[in-house]
Amino acid sequence: MNFLDYLIEGLLAVPAPRIWSNKIIPGIRASGWIQSDALLNNLHSIFAWFVFPKVSQWKIDSLLAEEKAKDIKVEHKYSRNQRAKSLSNQAALHLVSFLQTIIVLYLSIAFLISNERGVIPYPDPASRIFADTRETRVICIFAIGYFIWDALISAAYSTLPFVMHGVVSTAMYAIGIKPYLQYYAPVFLIFELSNPFLNIRWFASKYLPSENRLASRFQLFNNLIFLVTFFLGRIAWGWYQIVCLCYDFYMVSDDPIYLYWDSLIIVAGNLVLDVLNAYWFKTMVGVAIKAIKGGAQKKREDVKKAC
C-alpha cells in the first residue's frame, strides 16, 4: 500500500460518533429523507471526507498567512494583511482542490485499469447498471464529499455554472451509492483529469516570475496540457460515455429494478455537465487564441520599433 491507500483507508475507518448512530441516522431513516441503507451506513464517511478538506484548508490557510505576514512591512499593514490573507486563502483552496482531485482520480483510474484487466469485471449492461462492489461504493463516498465541498466553495467564491456543476454532480453520485449505476462513478470522474493542471496554472500565475523564460515556458506547457486533458476528459470521453450509458439504460429498461426517474436525472445531469464543459472549452480556446494573437501583434510591434 502507498500513502494514498493508507490515507483513504484511514478516512474510511473513522468510526461514527455514538450520537450519529443512535440519533441522527435513525431520525433521517424515520423521516424518509434518505431511503438508501448504503447511503445511510456510509453517511459518516461522506461527512468525514467533506470535513477533512475543510480542516486542511484552515490549517494550510493559517500556515500560509503566517509565512506571508513575515514579509509585510509596517506601513499600510492592514491593507497588506488583507491582501495576504486573501491570497493565502485562495492558495489553500487550490491546494486542497488539487489533493482531493488526485485522490478521486487515483481511485477511479485504478478501478478502470482493474476492470480492463478483468480483475473487477463488468461484462454486460446489467452489471454496469446494477452491480455493487466495495471499490465503487468507496469511489461514490469520496465523490459525494468532494462535490459537496466543491458546490459550497463555488457558492462562496465562484459563479453559478460552477455551483451547478457541484450540485448536479453531488446528486448523481448520491444516486450511485443506492446502489445504482456504480460502474459509471469512476468513468465520469475522469472528467476531473484536467483539474490538477488548472490548480497548477493558478499557482504558477501567482508565484512564478512572469519575466522568467523558464517559468513562462512551464506555464505554457502546463496550459497546453490543461486544454488537452480538458478536451479529452470532459468532451471526447464525456460525450462518448453518455452514449454508452444511454445504451446500457436501454438494454436494462425492462428489468423490474430499473429506476426510471433516477436514470432520467443521471442522463439529464450529464447532459447539463457536457454542455457546460463544451461552453467552458470554447471560452478557454477563445482566450488562448486571443492571447496568441496578442503575443504575435506585440512581437511585430517590437520588430518595427527595433527597425
Side-chain angles (χ1 to χ4, degrees), residues 47-91:
F47 182 75
W49 175 232
F50 166 69
V51 171
F52 171 74
K54 191 62 182 173
V55 173
S56 302
Q57 177 199 333
W58 287 336
K59 183 62 178 176
I60 295 167
D61 180 32
S62 175
L63 293 173
L64 289 171
E66 289 175 7
E67 189 65 27
K68 196 73 177 177
K70 295 176 183 178
D71 300 328
I72 297 173
K73 296 180 180 179
V74 177
E75 60 270 19
H76 305 102
K77 185 176 180 179
Y78 178 77
S79 60
R80 294 188 181 203
N81 267 303
Q82 288 295 98
R83 290 197 298 273
K85 180 67 176 177
S86 175
L87 182 62
S88 64
N89 185 55
Q90 292 178 53

mmCIF file of all heavy atoms in Angstrom, residues 47-91:
data_model
loop_
_atom_site.group_PDB
_atom_site.id
_atom_site.type_symbol
_atom_site.label_atom_id
_atom_site.label_comp_id
_atom_site.label_asym_id
_atom_site.label_seq_id
_atom_site.Cartn_x
_atom_site.Cartn_y
_atom_site.Cartn_z
ATOM 1 N N PHE A 47 -19.357 12.529 5.447
ATOM 2 C CA PHE A 47 -19.187 13.727 6.261
ATOM 3 C C PHE A 47 -17.719 13.925 6.623
ATOM 4 O O PHE A 47 -17.197 15.046 6.575
ATOM 5 C CB PHE A 47 -20.044 13.624 7.519
ATOM 6 C CG PHE A 47 -19.970 14.842 8.401
ATOM 7 C CD1 PHE A 47 -20.636 16.009 8.043
ATOM 8 C CD2 PHE A 47 -19.241 14.822 9.582
ATOM 9 C CE1 PHE A 47 -20.566 17.135 8.849
ATOM 10 C CE2 PHE A 47 -19.168 15.940 10.395
ATOM 11 C CZ PHE A 47 -19.838 17.107 10.028
ATOM 12 N N ALA A 48 -17.028 12.816 6.969
ATOM 13 C CA ALA A 48 -15.601 12.904 7.326
ATOM 14 C C ALA A 48 -14.778 13.383 6.137
ATOM 15 O O ALA A 48 -13.867 14.197 6.280
ATOM 16 C CB ALA A 48 -15.102 11.545 7.801
ATOM 17 N N TRP A 49 -15.102 12.890 4.926
ATOM 18 C CA TRP A 49 -14.366 13.303 3.727
ATOM 19 C C TRP A 49 -14.670 14.745 3.363
ATOM 20 O O TRP A 49 -13.839 15.447 2.791
ATOM 21 C CB TRP A 49 -14.711 12.368 2.578
ATOM 22 C CG TRP A 49 -14.109 12.743 1.254
ATOM 23 C CD1 TRP A 49 -14.751 12.891 0.079
ATOM 24 C CD2 TRP A 49 -12.731 13.012 0.971
ATOM 25 N NE1 TRP A 49 -13.879 13.229 -0.927
ATOM 26 C CE2 TRP A 49 -12.622 13.311 -0.393
ATOM 27 C CE3 TRP A 49 -11.570 13.036 1.756
ATOM 28 C CZ2 TRP A 49 -11.414 13.622 -1.008
ATOM 29 C CZ3 TRP A 49 -10.369 13.351 1.142
ATOM 30 C CH2 TRP A 49 -10.298 13.630 -0.222
ATOM 31 N N PHE A 50 -15.884 15.233 3.725
ATOM 32 C CA PHE A 50 -16.210 16.636 3.500
ATOM 33 C C PHE A 50 -15.480 17.532 4.501
ATOM 34 O O PHE A 50 -14.979 18.608 4.153
ATOM 35 C CB PHE A 50 -17.725 16.846 3.608
ATOM 36 C CG PHE A 50 -18.133 18.289 3.719
ATOM 37 C CD1 PHE A 50 -17.981 19.151 2.642
ATOM 38 C CD2 PHE A 50 -18.649 18.791 4.891
ATOM 39 C CE1 PHE A 50 -18.341 20.489 2.733
ATOM 40 C CE2 PHE A 50 -19.010 20.121 4.998
ATOM 41 C CZ PHE A 50 -18.866 20.964 3.918
ATOM 42 N N VAL A 51 -15.427 17.093 5.774
ATOM 43 C CA VAL A 51 -14.794 17.903 6.818
ATOM 44 C C VAL A 51 -13.281 17.915 6.661
ATOM 45 O O VAL A 51 -12.627 18.929 6.887
ATOM 46 C CB VAL A 51 -15.182 17.377 8.221
ATOM 47 C CG1 VAL A 51 -14.359 18.052 9.308
ATOM 48 C CG2 VAL A 51 -16.666 17.602 8.462
ATOM 49 N N PHE A 52 -12.694 16.786 6.237
ATOM 50 C CA PHE A 52 -11.237 16.675 6.116
ATOM 51 C C PHE A 52 -10.626 17.784 5.256
ATOM 52 O O PHE A 52 -9.677 18.446 5.688
ATOM 53 C CB PHE A 52 -10.872 15.300 5.561
ATOM 54 C CG PHE A 52 -9.421 15.151 5.191
ATOM 55 C CD1 PHE A 52 -8.447 15.034 6.164
ATOM 56 C CD2 PHE A 52 -9.029 15.140 3.856
ATOM 57 C CE1 PHE A 52 -7.111 14.897 5.816
ATOM 58 C CE2 PHE A 52 -7.698 15.003 3.503
ATOM 59 C CZ PHE A 52 -6.741 14.886 4.482
ATOM 60 N N PRO A 53 -11.133 18.041 4.035
ATOM 61 C CA PRO A 53 -10.548 19.127 3.246
ATOM 62 C C PRO A 53 -10.778 20.494 3.855
ATOM 63 O O PRO A 53 -9.959 21.386 3.691
ATOM 64 C CB PRO A 53 -11.243 19.008 1.880
ATOM 65 C CG PRO A 53 -12.478 18.259 2.138
ATOM 66 C CD PRO A 53 -12.158 17.326 3.253
ATOM 67 N N LYS A 54 -11.909 20.672 4.576
ATOM 68 C CA LYS A 54 -12.173 21.975 5.192
ATOM 69 C C LYS A 54 -11.173 22.244 6.311
ATOM 70 O O LYS A 54 -10.625 23.343 6.418
ATOM 71 C CB LYS A 54 -13.610 22.000 5.746
ATOM 72 C CG LYS A 54 -14.057 23.396 6.166
ATOM 73 C CD LYS A 54 -14.079 24.344 4.994
ATOM 74 C CE LYS A 54 -14.478 25.754 5.424
ATOM 75 N NZ LYS A 54 -14.341 26.725 4.336
ATOM 76 N N VAL A 55 -10.916 21.226 7.146
ATOM 77 C CA VAL A 55 -9.912 21.372 8.206
ATOM 78 C C VAL A 55 -8.537 21.603 7.606
ATOM 79 O O VAL A 55 -7.754 22.437 8.072
ATOM 80 C CB VAL A 55 -9.912 20.129 9.120
ATOM 81 C CG1 VAL A 55 -8.756 20.184 10.113
ATOM 82 C CG2 VAL A 55 -11.241 20.012 9.855
ATOM 83 N N SER A 56 -8.233 20.852 6.536
ATOM 84 C CA SER A 56 -6.947 21.022 5.847
ATOM 85 C C SER A 56 -6.807 22.430 5.300
ATOM 86 O O SER A 56 -5.741 23.043 5.377
ATOM 87 C CB SER A 56 -6.830 20.006 4.701
ATOM 88 O OG SER A 56 -6.958 18.699 5.176
ATOM 89 N N GLN A 57 -7.909 22.951 4.758
ATOM 90 C CA GLN A 57 -7.882 24.308 4.209
ATOM 91 C C GLN A 57 -7.570 25.325 5.300
ATOM 92 O O GLN A 57 -6.753 26.227 5.113
ATOM 93 C CB GLN A 57 -9.225 24.637 3.571
ATOM 94 C CG GLN A 57 -9.318 26.059 3.030
ATOM 95 C CD GLN A 57 -10.756 26.502 2.842
ATOM 96 O OE1 GLN A 57 -11.638 25.682 2.630
ATOM 97 N NE2 GLN A 57 -10.983 27.797 2.923
ATOM 98 N N TRP A 58 -8.229 25.202 6.457
ATOM 99 C CA TRP A 58 -7.975 26.135 7.557
ATOM 100 C C TRP A 58 -6.519 26.074 7.994
ATOM 101 O O TRP A 58 -5.888 27.101 8.246
ATOM 102 C CB TRP A 58 -8.880 25.795 8.738
ATOM 103 C CG TRP A 58 -10.311 26.163 8.531
ATOM 104 C CD1 TRP A 58 -10.798 27.125 7.679
ATOM 105 C CD2 TRP A 58 -11.462 25.570 9.157
ATOM 106 N NE1 TRP A 58 -12.171 27.161 7.737
ATOM 107 C CE2 TRP A 58 -12.606 26.230 8.629
ATOM 108 C CE3 TRP A 58 -11.637 24.561 10.099
ATOM 109 C CZ2 TRP A 58 -13.899 25.893 9.043
ATOM 110 C CZ3 TRP A 58 -12.915 24.240 10.503
ATOM 111 C CH2 TRP A 58 -14.020 24.896 9.981
ATOM 112 N N LYS A 59 -5.968 24.853 8.097
ATOM 113 C CA LYS A 59 -4.589 24.694 8.546
ATOM 114 C C LYS A 59 -3.620 25.277 7.525
ATOM 115 O O LYS A 59 -2.697 26.024 7.888
ATOM 116 C CB LYS A 59 -4.298 23.198 8.762
ATOM 117 C CG LYS A 59 -2.890 22.916 9.301
ATOM 118 C CD LYS A 59 -2.690 23.551 10.660
ATOM 119 C CE LYS A 59 -1.304 23.214 11.218
ATOM 120 N NZ LYS A 59 -1.047 23.885 12.499
ATOM 121 N N ILE A 60 -3.812 24.948 6.260
ATOM 122 C CA ILE A 60 -2.941 25.470 5.200
ATOM 123 C C ILE A 60 -3.042 26.985 5.125
ATOM 124 O O ILE A 60 -2.042 27.691 5.002
ATOM 125 C CB ILE A 60 -3.305 24.839 3.848
ATOM 126 C CG1 ILE A 60 -3.013 23.337 3.876
ATOM 127 C CG2 ILE A 60 -2.524 25.490 2.710
ATOM 128 C CD1 ILE A 60 -3.609 22.578 2.713
ATOM 129 N N ASP A 61 -4.280 27.492 5.227
ATOM 130 C CA ASP A 61 -4.508 28.931 5.176
ATOM 131 C C ASP A 61 -3.764 29.625 6.316
ATOM 132 O O ASP A 61 -3.128 30.656 6.132
ATOM 133 C CB ASP A 61 -6.008 29.210 5.275
ATOM 134 C CG ASP A 61 -6.323 30.700 5.223
ATOM 135 O OD1 ASP A 61 -5.566 31.428 4.547
ATOM 136 O OD2 ASP A 61 -7.293 31.126 5.854
ATOM 137 N N SER A 62 -3.822 29.033 7.518
ATOM 138 C CA SER A 62 -3.141 29.610 8.674
ATOM 139 C C SER A 62 -1.629 29.642 8.478
ATOM 140 O O SER A 62 -0.975 30.651 8.736
ATOM 141 C CB SER A 62 -3.500 28.802 9.928
ATOM 142 O OG SER A 62 -2.771 29.257 11.037
ATOM 143 N N LEU A 63 -1.067 28.538 7.975
ATOM 144 C CA LEU A 63 0.381 28.474 7.755
ATOM 145 C C LEU A 63 0.836 29.458 6.681
ATOM 146 O O LEU A 63 1.849 30.141 6.841
ATOM 147 C CB LEU A 63 0.778 27.049 7.352
ATOM 148 C CG LEU A 63 0.618 25.972 8.434
ATOM 149 C CD1 LEU A 63 0.890 24.592 7.848
ATOM 150 C CD2 LEU A 63 1.564 26.249 9.598
ATOM 151 N N LEU A 64 0.072 29.549 5.595
ATOM 152 C CA LEU A 64 0.427 30.469 4.512
ATOM 153 C C LEU A 64 0.310 31.913 4.958
ATOM 154 O O LEU A 64 1.131 32.756 4.596
ATOM 155 C CB LEU A 64 -0.462 30.212 3.293
ATOM 156 C CG LEU A 64 -0.206 28.913 2.531
ATOM 157 C CD1 LEU A 64 -1.287 28.687 1.493
ATOM 158 C CD2 LEU A 64 1.160 28.938 1.862
ATOM 159 N N ALA A 65 -0.719 32.215 5.756
ATOM 160 C CA ALA A 65 -0.914 33.576 6.239
ATOM 161 C C ALA A 65 0.231 33.991 7.158
ATOM 162 O O ALA A 65 0.738 35.110 7.096
ATOM 163 C CB ALA A 65 -2.245 33.697 6.971
ATOM 164 N N GLU A 66 0.676 33.058 8.032
ATOM 165 C CA GLU A 66 1.795 33.350 8.932
ATOM 166 C C GLU A 66 3.072 33.600 8.140
ATOM 167 O O GLU A 66 3.851 34.502 8.440
ATOM 168 C CB GLU A 66 1.990 32.191 9.904
ATOM 169 C CG GLU A 66 0.886 32.074 10.944
ATOM 170 C CD GLU A 66 1.066 30.843 11.809
ATOM 171 O OE1 GLU A 66 2.117 30.184 11.667
ATOM 172 O OE2 GLU A 66 0.165 30.538 12.608
ATOM 173 N N GLU A 67 3.303 32.764 7.114
ATOM 174 C CA GLU A 67 4.507 32.909 6.298
ATOM 175 C C GLU A 67 4.483 34.210 5.518
ATOM 176 O O GLU A 67 5.488 34.922 5.412
ATOM 177 C CB GLU A 67 4.604 31.718 5.335
ATOM 178 C CG GLU A 67 5.925 31.653 4.575
ATOM 179 C CD GLU A 67 7.102 31.399 5.491
ATOM 180 O OE1 GLU A 67 6.917 30.784 6.556
ATOM 181 O OE2 GLU A 67 8.207 31.848 5.135
ATOM 182 N N LYS A 68 3.309 34.557 4.989
ATOM 183 C CA LYS A 68 3.182 35.781 4.207
ATOM 184 C C LYS A 68 3.343 37.013 5.078
ATOM 185 O O LYS A 68 3.893 38.027 4.663
ATOM 186 C CB LYS A 68 1.807 35.798 3.509
ATOM 187 C CG LYS A 68 1.695 36.808 2.387
ATOM 188 C CD LYS A 68 2.479 36.359 1.167
ATOM 189 C CE LYS A 68 2.311 37.343 0.008
ATOM 190 N NZ LYS A 68 3.125 36.949 -1.136
ATOM 191 N N ALA A 69 2.865 36.932 6.324
ATOM 192 C CA ALA A 69 2.925 38.084 7.224
ATOM 193 C C ALA A 69 4.361 38.492 7.551
ATOM 194 O O ALA A 69 4.632 39.643 7.874
ATOM 195 C CB ALA A 69 2.173 37.772 8.511
ATOM 196 N N LYS A 70 5.301 37.558 7.432
ATOM 197 C CA LYS A 70 6.701 37.868 7.727
ATOM 198 C C LYS A 70 7.261 38.894 6.744
ATOM 199 O O LYS A 70 8.213 39.612 7.061
ATOM 200 C CB LYS A 70 7.543 36.590 7.667
ATOM 201 C CG LYS A 70 7.175 35.578 8.737
ATOM 202 C CD LYS A 70 7.983 34.305 8.562
ATOM 203 C CE LYS A 70 7.589 33.244 9.571
ATOM 204 N NZ LYS A 70 8.344 31.989 9.378
ATOM 205 N N ASP A 71 6.709 38.941 5.540
ATOM 206 C CA ASP A 71 7.231 39.825 4.502
ATOM 207 C C ASP A 71 6.492 41.160 4.430
ATOM 208 O O ASP A 71 6.768 41.968 3.552
ATOM 209 C CB ASP A 71 7.126 39.136 3.135
ATOM 210 C CG ASP A 71 7.914 37.845 3.105
ATOM 211 O OD1 ASP A 71 8.945 37.792 3.804
ATOM 212 O OD2 ASP A 71 7.481 36.907 2.423
ATOM 213 N N ILE A 72 5.526 41.361 5.323
ATOM 214 C CA ILE A 72 4.716 42.573 5.259
ATOM 215 C C ILE A 72 5.344 43.676 6.107
ATOM 216 O O ILE A 72 5.675 43.467 7.269
ATOM 217 C CB ILE A 72 3.279 42.285 5.742
ATOM 218 C CG1 ILE A 72 2.622 41.280 4.799
ATOM 219 C CG2 ILE A 72 2.447 43.556 5.813
ATOM 220 C CD1 ILE A 72 1.283 40.814 5.266
ATOM 221 N N LYS A 73 5.512 44.861 5.535
ATOM 222 C CA LYS A 73 6.107 45.980 6.243
ATOM 223 C C LYS A 73 5.063 46.641 7.152
ATOM 224 O O LYS A 73 3.859 46.399 7.039
ATOM 225 C CB LYS A 73 6.652 46.992 5.243
ATOM 226 C CG LYS A 73 7.782 46.412 4.392
ATOM 227 C CD LYS A 73 8.291 47.444 3.417
ATOM 228 C CE LYS A 73 9.422 46.853 2.569
ATOM 229 N NZ LYS A 73 9.937 47.823 1.585
ATOM 230 N N VAL A 74 5.518 47.513 8.012
ATOM 231 C CA VAL A 74 4.623 48.153 8.982
ATOM 232 C C VAL A 74 3.630 49.071 8.304
ATOM 233 O O VAL A 74 2.444 49.068 8.619
ATOM 234 C CB VAL A 74 5.451 48.953 10.022
ATOM 235 C CG1 VAL A 74 4.537 49.685 10.979
ATOM 236 C CG2 VAL A 74 6.382 48.020 10.784
ATOM 237 N N GLU A 75 4.076 49.897 7.339
ATOM 238 C CA GLU A 75 3.168 50.832 6.695
ATOM 239 C C GLU A 75 2.129 50.093 5.864
ATOM 240 O O GLU A 75 2.410 49.072 5.262
ATOM 241 C CB GLU A 75 3.935 51.824 5.796
ATOM 242 C CG GLU A 75 4.741 51.187 4.670
ATOM 243 C CD GLU A 75 6.153 50.861 5.085
ATOM 244 O OE1 GLU A 75 6.382 50.800 6.298
ATOM 245 O OE2 GLU A 75 7.012 50.666 4.204
ATOM 246 N N HIS A 76 0.926 50.649 5.880
ATOM 247 C CA HIS A 76 -0.222 50.061 5.194
ATOM 248 C C HIS A 76 -0.426 48.602 5.622
ATOM 249 O O HIS A 76 -0.807 47.744 4.827
ATOM 250 C CB HIS A 76 -0.051 50.112 3.668
ATOM 251 C CG HIS A 76 0.215 51.486 3.152
ATOM 252 N ND1 HIS A 76 1.466 51.895 2.788
ATOM 253 C CD2 HIS A 76 -0.617 52.549 2.961
ATOM 254 C CE1 HIS A 76 1.415 53.150 2.363
ATOM 255 N NE2 HIS A 76 0.158 53.574 2.467
ATOM 256 N N LYS A 77 -0.182 48.362 6.895
ATOM 257 C CA LYS A 77 -0.194 46.988 7.389
ATOM 258 C C LYS A 77 -1.550 46.329 7.216
ATOM 259 O O LYS A 77 -1.648 45.165 6.825
ATOM 260 C CB LYS A 77 0.221 46.969 8.857
ATOM 261 C CG LYS A 77 0.364 45.562 9.430
ATOM 262 C CD LYS A 77 0.869 45.620 10.851
ATOM 263 C CE LYS A 77 1.023 44.213 11.422
ATOM 264 N NZ LYS A 77 1.533 44.239 12.805
ATOM 265 N N TYR A 78 -2.637 47.070 7.467
ATOM 266 C CA TYR A 78 -3.975 46.471 7.412
ATOM 267 C C TYR A 78 -4.307 45.999 6.010
ATOM 268 O O TYR A 78 -4.696 44.852 5.798
ATOM 269 C CB TYR A 78 -5.019 47.482 7.883
ATOM 270 C CG TYR A 78 -6.422 46.956 7.800
ATOM 271 C CD1 TYR A 78 -6.902 46.056 8.746
ATOM 272 C CD2 TYR A 78 -7.265 47.330 6.759
ATOM 273 C CE1 TYR A 78 -8.183 45.540 8.664
ATOM 274 C CE2 TYR A 78 -8.549 46.826 6.671
ATOM 275 C CZ TYR A 78 -9.007 45.943 7.631
ATOM 276 O OH TYR A 78 -10.277 45.453 7.530
ATOM 277 N N SER A 79 -4.107 46.901 5.025
ATOM 278 C CA SER A 79 -4.479 46.531 3.656
ATOM 279 C C SER A 79 -3.598 45.402 3.143
ATOM 280 O O SER A 79 -4.058 44.507 2.442
ATOM 281 C CB SER A 79 -4.367 47.749 2.730
ATOM 282 O OG SER A 79 -3.040 48.234 2.712
ATOM 283 N N ARG A 80 -2.316 45.430 3.500
ATOM 284 C CA ARG A 80 -1.418 44.369 3.044
ATOM 285 C C ARG A 80 -1.758 43.042 3.712
ATOM 286 O O ARG A 80 -1.704 41.992 3.083
ATOM 287 C CB ARG A 80 0.039 44.750 3.326
ATOM 288 C CG ARG A 80 0.497 45.944 2.499
ATOM 289 C CD ARG A 80 1.974 46.181 2.647
ATOM 290 N NE ARG A 80 2.369 47.351 1.866
ATOM 291 C CZ ARG A 80 3.598 47.562 1.436
ATOM 292 N NH1 ARG A 80 4.533 46.690 1.691
ATOM 293 N NH2 ARG A 80 3.891 48.648 0.748
ATOM 294 N N ASN A 81 -2.115 43.093 4.976
ATOM 295 C CA ASN A 81 -2.538 41.878 5.662
ATOM 296 C C ASN A 81 -3.786 41.299 5.031
ATOM 297 O O ASN A 81 -3.927 40.084 4.909
ATOM 298 C CB ASN A 81 -2.798 42.155 7.140
ATOM 299 C CG ASN A 81 -1.570 41.879 7.993
ATOM 300 O OD1 ASN A 81 -1.045 40.774 7.980
ATOM 301 N ND2 ASN A 81 -1.109 42.886 8.700
ATOM 302 N N GLN A 82 -4.705 42.177 4.635
ATOM 303 C CA GLN A 82 -5.927 41.714 3.993
ATOM 304 C C GLN A 82 -5.605 41.010 2.669
ATOM 305 O O GLN A 82 -6.167 39.962 2.355
ATOM 306 C CB GLN A 82 -6.874 42.897 3.728
ATOM 307 C CG GLN A 82 -7.532 43.471 4.984
ATOM 308 C CD GLN A 82 -8.458 42.467 5.626
ATOM 309 O OE1 GLN A 82 -8.081 41.794 6.569
ATOM 310 N NE2 GLN A 82 -9.663 42.340 5.117
ATOM 311 N N ARG A 83 -4.698 41.631 1.882
ATOM 312 C CA ARG A 83 -4.324 41.022 0.611
ATOM 313 C C ARG A 83 -3.616 39.692 0.821
ATOM 314 O O ARG A 83 -3.845 38.721 0.097
ATOM 315 C CB ARG A 83 -3.440 41.982 -0.194
ATOM 316 C CG ARG A 83 -4.172 43.209 -0.726
ATOM 317 C CD ARG A 83 -3.369 43.869 -1.834
ATOM 318 N NE ARG A 83 -2.078 44.345 -1.383
ATOM 319 C CZ ARG A 83 -1.856 45.539 -0.849
ATOM 320 N NH1 ARG A 83 -2.864 46.381 -0.676
ATOM 321 N NH2 ARG A 83 -0.656 45.909 -0.490
ATOM 322 N N ALA A 84 -2.727 39.652 1.822
ATOM 323 C CA ALA A 84 -2.015 38.413 2.114
ATOM 324 C C ALA A 84 -2.982 37.325 2.557
ATOM 325 O O ALA A 84 -2.865 36.163 2.152
ATOM 326 C CB ALA A 84 -0.968 38.658 3.208
ATOM 327 N N LYS A 85 -3.959 37.698 3.391
ATOM 328 C CA LYS A 85 -4.951 36.733 3.857
ATOM 329 C C LYS A 85 -5.779 36.202 2.692
ATOM 330 O O LYS A 85 -6.046 35.000 2.590
ATOM 331 C CB LYS A 85 -5.869 37.403 4.885
ATOM 332 C CG LYS A 85 -6.959 36.499 5.456
ATOM 333 C CD LYS A 85 -6.373 35.404 6.298
ATOM 334 C CE LYS A 85 -7.457 34.569 6.956
ATOM 335 N NZ LYS A 85 -6.907 33.444 7.723
ATOM 336 N N SER A 86 -6.175 37.099 1.788
ATOM 337 C CA SER A 86 -6.971 36.689 0.638
ATOM 338 C C SER A 86 -6.180 35.733 -0.250
ATOM 339 O O SER A 86 -6.706 34.704 -0.691
ATOM 340 C CB SER A 86 -7.400 37.917 -0.169
ATOM 341 O OG SER A 86 -8.076 37.539 -1.341
ATOM 342 N N LEU A 87 -4.915 36.056 -0.503
ATOM 343 C CA LEU A 87 -4.085 35.208 -1.357
ATOM 344 C C LEU A 87 -3.844 33.851 -0.708
ATOM 345 O O LEU A 87 -3.932 32.811 -1.369
ATOM 346 C CB LEU A 87 -2.750 35.901 -1.639
ATOM 347 C CG LEU A 87 -1.790 35.146 -2.567
ATOM 348 C CD1 LEU A 87 -2.411 34.970 -3.949
ATOM 349 C CD2 LEU A 87 -0.459 35.883 -2.672
ATOM 350 N N SER A 88 -3.556 33.847 0.596
ATOM 351 C CA SER A 88 -3.293 32.586 1.279
ATOM 352 C C SER A 88 -4.551 31.717 1.325
ATOM 353 O O SER A 88 -4.479 30.491 1.216
ATOM 354 C CB SER A 88 -2.776 32.842 2.698
ATOM 355 O OG SER A 88 -3.759 33.489 3.483
ATOM 356 N N ASN A 89 -5.721 32.354 1.464
ATOM 357 C CA ASN A 89 -6.973 31.601 1.474
ATOM 358 C C ASN A 89 -7.218 30.952 0.112
ATOM 359 O O ASN A 89 -7.593 29.776 0.027
ATOM 360 C CB ASN A 89 -8.135 32.524 1.831
ATOM 361 C CG ASN A 89 -9.441 31.770 1.982
ATOM 362 O OD1 ASN A 89 -9.527 30.828 2.757
ATOM 363 N ND2 ASN A 89 -10.452 32.182 1.240
ATOM 364 N N GLN A 90 -6.982 31.711 -0.955
ATOM 365 C CA GLN A 90 -7.130 31.156 -2.302
ATOM 366 C C GLN A 90 -6.133 30.018 -2.533
ATOM 367 O O GLN A 90 -6.474 28.996 -3.140
ATOM 368 C CB GLN A 90 -6.926 32.253 -3.339
ATOM 369 C CG GLN A 90 -8.016 33.309 -3.364
ATOM 370 C CD GLN A 90 -7.702 34.386 -4.386
ATOM 371 O OE1 GLN A 90 -7.453 34.109 -5.552
ATOM 372 N NE2 GLN A 90 -7.701 35.631 -3.946
ATOM 373 N N ALA A 91 -4.900 30.208 -2.054
ATOM 374 C CA ALA A 91 -3.884 29.166 -2.221
ATOM 375 C C ALA A 91 -4.298 27.894 -1.488
ATOM 376 O O ALA A 91 -4.124 26.781 -2.012
ATOM 377 C CB ALA A 91 -2.538 29.665 -1.692
#
